[in-house]
Amino acid sequence: MLVDAYKRPIRDLRISVTDRCNFRCTYCMPLDEYEWIDKKEILTFEEITRLARLFIQFGVEKIRLTGGEPLVRQDLAVLVKKLSALDGLEDLCLTTNGALLAEKIESLSQAGLRRVNISIDTLDANKFKRMTKRGDLNKVLEGIFAAKKAGLAPIKLNAVIERGVNEDDILPLVEFSREHGFAMRFIEYMDVGNSNNWTSAKLAQRKR
């Protein structure tokens, strides 16, 4: 059994399948261009599956596929099928920005994907465009509801809240999630170690 520094069992594993993303969210990847990992250095689906099998033998029960944006990885459903077939794996989740989800949800669900986490920081289309630089809110909403129609559950929505940018979107997002049966989670704006110009002044603060 794998344990952390506090002797707690490690049961969750996050696997990044790519460093690339089709968005340039201001709080995450604000630059237009990056030096990407060479494709030869990225694990193949067979290598990922082998590593996952080893981690499961050491007590991992849940695997989350992430990126970058994992859906820009070609033929991701092939990997989902390989992982979902592993003995001992109890949960397989995909974290995505949702932009490509509608066109890929059928193959993913047929491969064994049962739940998704989707990033959506605002329901205002213009603000969404400013925050992601390249994103189309309608595509993301289409992906969310396509996942629901495909029967994936639970569907969890993630929002990074940045003071002066989208703290006014908290209640609309909560109401949207409640109306459609989604789980809503708010994530603190963090210093991710690149050029997102993080300062504590941008943290959303509780009103007293």
Side-chain angles (χ1 to χ4, degrees):
M1 175 69 69
L2 295 173
V3 296
D4 64 13
Y6 297 97
K7 307 302 180 183
R8 297 173 298 188
I10 298 175
R11 303 193 185 279
D12 295 7
L13 175 66
R14 296 171 63 96
I15 300 177
S16 174
V17 299
T18 180
D19 61 330
R20 298 171 187 260
C21 187
N22 48 352
F23 285 5
R24 293 292 183 271
C25 297
T26 54
Y27 55 78
C28 180
M29 298 177 65
L31 302 181
D32 288 328
E33 297 297 333
Y34 286 86
E35 184 176 346
W36 306 112
I37 296 173
D38 192 286
K39 289 185 177 181
K40 295 182 295 184
E41 301 297 322
I42 295 177
L43 294 178
T44 65
F45 290 164
E46 290 74 19
E47 290 170 330
I48 292 174
T49 303
R50 183 185 178 206
L51 284 172
R53 186 181 293 112
L54 291 172
F55 274 101
I56 291 169
Q57 292 174 4
F58 284 102
V60 164
E61 299 172 344
K62 302 178 180 180
I63 291 178
R64 182 188 314 278
L65 299 178
T66 68
E69 168 49 45
L71 291 183
V72 303
R73 178 79 184 256
Q74 188 173 2
D75 297 324
L76 187 68
V78 174
L79 176 61
V80 170
K81 186 173 184 178
K82 289 178 180 293
L83 295 177
S84 63
L86 292 176
D87 291 336
L89 183 63
E90 297 183 4
D91 184 41
L92 179 62
C93 178
L94 174 73
T95 295
T96 173
N97 62 31
L100 301 174
L101 190 57
E103 62 188 75
K104 301 191 177 187
I105 191 62
E106 183 176 356
S107 62
L108 291 168
S109 60
Q110 289 178 353
L113 186 67
R114 294 292 172 263
R115 70 184 185 93
V116 287
N117 294 350
I118 303 170
S119 299
I120 180 168
D121 301 315
T122 176
L123 294 172
D124 181 310
N126 291 329
K127 188 184 295 185
F128 187 88
K129 187 73 171 181
R130 291 198 302 272
M131 292 185 71
T132 62
K133 292 188 177 180
R134 302 180 179 184
D136 182 343
L137 177 62
N138 288 330
K139 288 288 187 181
V140 175
L141 293 174
E142 184 182 354
I144 292 172
F145 288 111
K148 182 178 181 179
K149 184 177 180 181
L152 273 65
I155 294 174
K156 299 181 180 180
L157 305 183
N158 298 333
V160 174
I161 302 301
E162 185 178 350
R163 190 179 186 186
V165 177
N166 66 332
E167 72 264 46
D168 292 339
D169 293 277
I170 292 175
L171 290 182
L173 285 167
V174 169
E175 292 168 358
F176 172 79
S177 300
R178 184 186 303 169
E179 178 184 355
H180 297 288
F182 306 134
M184 187 71 231
R185 304 187 301 177
F186 294 103
I187 301 172
E188 185 175 283
Y189 172 64
M190 295 178 291
D191 183 357
V192 295
N194 58 24
S195 304
N196 70 339
N197 297 315
W198 183 93
T199 69
S200 59
K202 294 184 180 180
L203 297 177
Q205 298 183 1
R206 182 185 303 172
K207 295 181 180 179
R208 299 180 178 178

